[in-house]
Amino acid sequence: MKSKTKISLVISVCVLFFAILSTFLAIIFIQFGSTKSEKNTSRLILGFSQIGSESAWRTRNTQSIFEAAEANGIQILFDDAQQKQENQLKAIRSFIVYQVDVIAFVPIVEDGWDNVLREAKNANIPVIIVDRQINAPESLYAGFLGENSLEEGHKAAQYLLKKCAGKSSPVNILEISGTENSSIVKGRANGFREGIAEDSKFNIIHSENGDFLRSRGKEIAENLIQKSRDSGNFKNDVLYFDEKKIDVIFSHNDSMTLGLLDSFANYGINPADTIIISFDAEQKSIDALVGKKLNCVVECNPNLGEMLMQLVKQVAAGKSIPRITYNEEKIFTEYDDFSKYEPRGY
């Protein structure tokens, strides 16, 4: 009986010893892991949600942000929303859970952000809106960085007023707009309309959503061509909408414009008398301008990376940033000296 008692005592002592040893090792492991984690998170972490990669412009915009982040020692958690707002909302919430230092995102549409922005604010994570603006209380985000889309529309209108200064007959305009309910579409549309309002000869006879996609620009043009053929009113140097001659095509981005030109090439159309205005200033659209296939391209500068990183560092340090920061942008027209054009890089 005594022997059994001694064995039980020895087993108890051994169990206690290993329990103490395990606890000690666990404490050491936790401390080591904590130190390692602190070391790995010494860099600022930016959670960035991009709307997608629908164009060369968007690809360059993303590249610019990654390049600037690397140059500034900032780590990026990246999410491609694939043109869906629900994907962006999930991404932003995942950034909050991860406890990033700053969140930046390109909003697909203007509305529907209040709740997730409140969640970020409650988590003390500042948010910067990039490229497209939103409808939300200013108290919910730190600031906006991007283009002045209203001014871009004004620039397009100013070019058209100059181009058509000597015309007295009506000027019919076809508008190919971008993603519905996005701030950039509203800005460009409103700016253009404000600019041409001073001359009653300008008339927007049709506006159609091309969703900023090359495929949609091509589709819209092909539908116009097919309708002209069906009506027996087809000509290879003129486009029509409801049997009205289109004098101007006002396209909200280069991807849709290039899709339009794809259709023209496929159907052997050369609308030399049609004025075509585009936005973004991708290399291919500048080449088309030089080749006399376009008349005017308003730049939307995708190179926001360095400016964004400076704003990220400021808000991460608890400093305020401007409510709105606009990027510098140019306008390219048929009146330019093409020999002075520099490669666009996208």
Side-chain angles (χ1 to χ4, degrees), residues 89-106:
L89 294 171
K90 289 177 183 176
I92 294 170
R93 289 191 168 102
S94 72
F95 296 154
I96 294 170
V97 171
Y98 193 84
Q99 294 185 316
V100 299
D101 297 295
V102 181
I103 293 171
F105 72 101
V106 179

Side-chain angles (χ1 to χ4, degrees), residues 4-22:
K4 290 183 178 179
T5 303
K6 286 181 179 180
I7 291 171
S8 298
L9 182 60
V10 170
I11 292 173
S12 298
V13 170
C14 289
V15 170
L16 181 60
F17 172 78
F18 282 112
I20 294 171
L21 179 61
S22 298

Side-chain angles (χ1 to χ4, degrees), residues 55-70:
S55 64
W57 189 98
R58 186 65 57 192
T59 299
R60 176 56 205 153
N61 180 234
T62 302
Q63 288 174 343
S64 169
I65 290 169
F66 271 93
E67 290 168 0
E70 181 64 26

Side-chain angles (χ1 to χ4, degrees), residues 9-57:
L9 182 60
V10 170
I11 292 173
S12 298
V13 170
C14 289
V15 170
L16 181 60
F17 172 78
F18 282 112
I20 294 171
L21 179 61
S22 298
T23 302
F24 176 77
L25 291 174
I27 292 171
I28 295 297
F29 178 80
I30 291 170
Q31 288 179 337
F32 175 77
S34 177
T35 301
K36 186 176 181 181
S37 177
E38 288 175 7
K39 184 177 181 181
N40 286 341
T41 58
S42 60
R43 299 170 68 188
L44 284 179
I45 300 178
L46 169 66
F48 177 61
S49 175
Q50 180 62 279
I51 64 171
S53 54
E54 78 286 355
S55 64
W57 189 98

Side-chain angles (χ1 to χ4, degrees), residues 42 77 96 99 186 215 218 237:
S42 60
L77 292 185
I96 294 170
Q99 294 185 316
K186 292 181 179 179
S215 59
K218 184 172 182 289
D237 61 346

Side-chain angles (χ1 to χ4, degrees), residues 4 30 44 50 75 78 122 140 193 199 206 209 249 288 315 334 345:
K4 290 183 178 179
I30 291 170
L44 284 179
Q50 180 62 279
Q75 180 181 343
F78 178 74
N122 291 337
L140 296 181
R193 284 165 171 75
D199 194 328
H206 182 62
N209 175 17
I249 298 175
V315 295
E334 60 189 312

